[in-house]
Amino acid sequence: MAVVAALALGVNAAPAVAQPAPPAPPQNAADARAQLDQAQREAEALTEQWHAATDDLAAKQAAADGLRAAIEPARIAAEQARIDEEQFRQQIDIVALSTFESGRLDQFNALLASGSPQDYLDQMSALEALSADQKLALDELLAKVETTRRAQADADDAVGRAQQAADDARRAADEISVRKREADARIAEVERLLERLSPQERADRNGPDEGAPAGVIAGAGVGAKALKAAATQLGKPYVWGAAGPNSYDCSGLTSWAFKQAGVTLPRSSSQQARTGKSVSWDDMQPGDLVFYYSPVSHVGIYAGGGKMINAPQSGDVVKYQTVSSSAFTGARRL
């Protein structure tokens, strides 16, 4: 599971999570159901936050790996720039020494060394050419000095950005640990509450499998392919944090289904709600992702006819359900 990757970073243990006080014993069946529904919602939201933290860690680890890989090429470039600059400085020293030893330092020396006006003019022309060459050499030296400065700055920046990315990844790993423990605590409470239900009460709570909408799933797009894949998983159990192929939570089902269609979705429902383009309630088509609650903590795949396939809740299975207008907060099309 992704949380193992966080532990592998060797980060410090996350701070202890304050556990909520146990709820008061329900006074009647309605209270018991309300208490269970609330615990279920909270556990699902915390689980999705854990998935989001896992997505975040994966992105930050990839960024850190890429930045670490850039350090050595930047260091080599800076070192080569310093070598080039030093070699060019040596060449300029040779030119300067040659000029000094030749005695062609100024116009006065040129006049003294000339045997005739024409000889003087010839030497002046040579001096002007030498001066131009010297200016070109100095300009090239300045350019090499600037190249060296930029290369060293790039190398220093690569080191700094890699360190920042590594720090971000460590913080993301800590966040995973916190979110996982929060989710585990609430999941344990849901499981305790579920154990109090009789088989009939469980069946009543889950409701019937409403069956597929009329008609055949049409279309060859990504969404239609994902919907067809999800339909092959009907009847498989809901399990917290699961992403198939034997069991699923809500975002685990959608990420698995779209992967079969060649699309890699983020693991969390909140991040999935940022993919594709927004679709209104009235414009939904089979294959669109359907999201519940604000902030988003549940997702399914619209199947048409007002229904969706989803992994609803603990104790239930992957199935068709009518899309709830009161829980609906958006849809996205890939």
Side-chain angles (χ1 to χ4, degrees):
M1 196 170 283
V3 71
V4 174
L7 299 177
L9 289 178
V11 298
N12 295 329
V17 179
Q19 301 301 329
Q27 301 301 309
N28 51 55
D31 286 348
R33 177 161 184 162
Q35 196 175 94
L36 177 55
D37 289 346
Q38 179 65 23
Q40 170 76 36
R41 278 280 310 278
E42 292 176 4
E44 184 172 51
L46 289 168
T47 301
E48 291 302 304
Q49 289 172 19
W50 162 41
H51 292 326
T54 303
D55 287 341
D56 187 45
L57 172 62
K60 285 181 168 58
Q61 283 179 322
D65 290 343
L67 290 168
R68 278 193 293 268
I71 290 176
E72 186 60 15
R75 186 196 66 76
I76 292 173
E79 182 60 28
Q80 186 59 53
R82 281 191 292 271
I83 292 172
D84 291 346
E85 179 187 335
E86 181 58 30
Q87 290 177 342
F88 198 77
R89 285 183 184 275
Q90 292 173 6
Q91 292 173 11
I92 284 187
D93 288 345
I94 292 172
V95 172
L97 180 62
S98 174
T99 302
F100 177 77
E101 290 176 345
S102 70
R104 294 182 298 174
L105 297 178
D106 54 27
Q107 295 181 2
F108 180 69
N109 284 340
L111 178 61
L112 292 178
S114 63
S116 67
Q118 184 60 49
D119 188 23
Y120 172 73
L121 292 175
D122 291 343
Q123 290 199 50
M124 284 301 301
S125 178
L127 279 173
E128 290 175 0
L130 178 62
S131 176
D133 289 343
Q134 287 176 326
K135 182 178 185 307
L136 179 61
L138 288 173
D139 287 343
E140 289 186 23
L141 174 59
L142 290 174
K144 287 190 178 292
V145 169
E146 177 61 17
T147 298
T148 302
R149 185 195 67 76
R150 286 199 304 267
Q152 185 60 53
D154 289 345
D156 293 342
D157 185 54
V159 171
R161 286 184 290 123
Q163 183 59 53
Q164 181 62 51
D167 292 343
D168 290 344
R170 280 193 290 271
R171 283 191 290 270
D174 286 342
E175 180 72 6
I176 283 179
S177 181
V178 170
R179 295 303 184 190
K180 181 65 167 63
R181 280 196 277 185
E182 289 175 338
D184 285 345
R186 208 64 177 119
I187 289 168
E189 179 61 26
V190 171
E191 298 298 340
R192 285 194 295 271
L193 291 169
L194 281 171
E195 288 173 0
R196 299 176 185 172
L197 300 182
S198 68
Q200 184 59 52
E201 287 173 328
R202 287 188 180 222
D204 291 343
R205 175 174 181 266
N206 293 338
D209 182 341
E210 299 183 11
V216 179
I217 299 173
V222 167
K225 291 178 181 178
L227 177 58
K228 292 174 185 176
T232 68
Q233 304 303 293
L234 291 167
K236 293 190 175 180
Y238 181 104
V239 173
W240 305 104
N246 299 317
S247 57
Y248 300 92
D249 64 9
C250 68
S251 57
L253 175 65
T254 53
S255 60
W256 179 90
F258 273 86
K259 187 173 183 179
Q260 311 316 301
V263 174
T264 298
L265 289 179
R267 181 59 179 85
S268 68
S269 57
S270 60
Q271 293 300 313
Q272 290 180 13
R274 300 179 182 180
T275 62
K277 65 177 183 179
S278 178
V279 178
S280 70
W281 172 275
D282 292 331
D283 291 333
M284 284 194 295
Q285 297 177 4
D288 292 343
L289 289 166
V290 178
F291 299 96
Y292 281 2
Y293 313 123
S294 182
V296 169
S297 61
H298 187 77
V299 60
I301 303 176
Y302 189 65
K307 298 180 181 181
M308 69 177 180
I309 293 179
N310 72 144
Q313 59 188 357
S314 184
D316 209 339
V317 297
V318 175
K319 65 184 184 182
Y320 289 99
Q321 285 186 312
T322 297
V323 180
S324 168
S325 59
S326 60
F328 175 86
T329 51
R332 309 289 292 190
R333 182 173 300 152
L334 279 74

